[in-house]
Amino acid sequence: AKLILITSLILGTTITISSNHWLLAWTGLEINTMAIIPLICKPHHPRAIEATIKYFLTQSTASALILFSSMTNAWSSGQWDITQLSHPTSSLLLTMAISIKLGLVPFHFWFPEVLQGSSLTTALLLSTLMKLPPITLLLLTSQSLNPTSLTLLAIFSTLVGGWMGLNQTQTRKILAFSSISHLGWMIIIILYNPKLTILAFTLYVTMTTTVFLSLNQTKILKLSTMLISWTKAPMLNTTLMLTLLSLAGLPPLTGFMPKWLILQELTKQEMIPAATIISLLSLLGLFFYLRLAYHSTITLPPNSSNHMKLWLINKAPNTSTAILTTLSTSLLPLSP
């Protein structure tokens, strides 16, 4: 069953990103939604079932909006081509639908809840692979969307993603808010330089995958277990700290590259206020990444902890995690 579901996920994503016709793109998104639902509700737990229902309702709303938008457009222009989105109402509806699919503010409420209800591997799929089709649709239609609304969506996403992440103790929720603020960075530049959006997305996927795989190896679900995971896998924790700082976008690491290039492009487009605001808002994100990094390596807990004693994990370090960590910390010298 797992094989069928993963294959359907890849199939749905491929159909959407390679289609030119609205109905095909919609079909791909539907296949994706249907394939991820059993993966979310696999743990028999009320939380997981609730997350599945929330996910299903939001995604079906977004799909209906996409259909509605493309039909309105076809009705007014006779075009089913994705790049020919000329009707203003359709482009507004599409912006809304894609925001719901991606979890951009103000349609972000479902995303942290769904991530909190699913396992770490499913959460990884939800925050990386499931973001690809909607972002592709945005890239294809970006020329006909409203620049002001996209910029506002982006700025509010970075704001809320940074702000709401400050007070969380669950790692999955923190990563959900981190995802929302990263999406803000990708959306703000999509009109002016789509290649930068692709770059930011690729690097975001690399770094998030590394973080989720590292957390999954030590089974860290909240900050209090992160405090005592140092004894389990010291090396893994050190690399996890570096990857978190890279996600925050600190200079010698990979995560600095997309932010640097995006700010540069925004200043070229004479969007100085937007660039200033978004770079100040990334400080909020930096705070909670620093807190995660601090919890993972810098604080060694006092000996009288009331947790069970944890011994070293006898598993050999994962090759994929090692490669991903290297990529997500040391790619900055390759920047154009």
Side-chain angles (χ1 to χ4, degrees), residues 8 23 29 37 39 57 60 63 69 85-86 92 108 127 152 191 228 232 250 263 282 295 315 318 320 330:
S8 311
L23 275 181
L29 288 169
I37 279 175
L39 289 173
L57 290 175
S60 46
S63 293
S69 135
L85 193 71
S86 52
L92 183 69
H108 64 288
S127 35
L152 282 174
L191 274 176
I228 50 168
K232 274 185 179 179
L250 286 186
L263 287 175
S282 69
H295 276 288
K315 280 187 290 191
N318 203 331
S320 57
S330 53

Side-chain angles (χ1 to χ4, degrees), residues 12-35:
T13 309
T14 317
I15 289 177
T16 305
I17 61 182
S18 57
S19 62
N20 270 329
H21 193 286
W22 272 117
L23 275 181
L24 258 177
W26 173 80
T27 316
L29 288 169
E30 283 302 294
I31 293 174
N32 251 354
T33 308
M34 288 302 159

Side-chain angles (χ1 to χ4, degrees), residues 157-316:
S157 298
T158 10
L159 171 71
V160 172
W163 214 333
M164 305 271 288
L166 293 180
N167 214 6
Q168 302 294 336
T169 53
Q170 304 285 339
T171 45
R172 282 167 296 188
K173 273 198 174 170
I174 291 180
L175 284 166
F177 287 117
S178 119
S179 172
I180 293 170
S181 69
H182 274 271
L183 281 167
W185 278 88
M186 291 170 218
I187 299 303
I188 200 163
I189 203 67
I190 201 160
L191 274 176
Y192 310 105
N193 196 338
K195 284 180 184 163
L196 275 186
T197 302
I198 299 170
L199 172 79
F201 182 70
T202 317
L203 293 179
Y204 158 75
V205 166
T206 316
M207 296 183 286
T208 310
T209 312
T210 318
V211 172
F212 270 115
L213 289 177
S214 309
L215 293 180
N216 195 29
Q217 251 178 329
T218 43
K219 297 280 175 281
I220 301 173
L221 294 179
K222 49 183 187 289
L223 289 181
S224 54
T225 39
M226 202 171 205
L227 277 171
I228 50 168
S229 66
W230 176 253
T231 46
K232 274 185 179 179
M235 256 337 276
L236 191 65
N237 260 31
T238 317
T239 54
L240 176 63
M241 178 189 84
L242 283 173
T243 315
L244 285 166
L245 294 179
S246 180
L247 259 177
L250 286 186
L253 305 162
T254 308
F256 180 56
M257 178 177 15
K259 291 195 169 169
W260 184 21
L261 295 170
I262 286 171
L263 287 175
Q264 185 189 351
E265 185 62 37
L266 284 176
T267 39
K268 274 186 197 164
Q269 299 291 341
E270 300 193 352
M271 293 174 65
I272 310 286
T276 315
I277 293 170
I278 204 168
S279 50
L280 285 176
L281 290 179
S282 69
L283 288 176
L284 290 169
L286 175 65
F287 179 81
F288 64 78
Y289 291 122
L290 274 176
R291 199 176 78 181
L292 276 174
Y294 188 76
H295 276 288
S296 68
T297 49
I298 304 168
T299 41
L300 285 176
N303 293 331
S304 57
S305 71
N306 43 12
H307 289 277
M308 283 175 63
K309 278 276 179 279
L310 299 162
W311 299 105
L312 285 170
I313 304 175
N314 287 331
K315 280 187 290 191

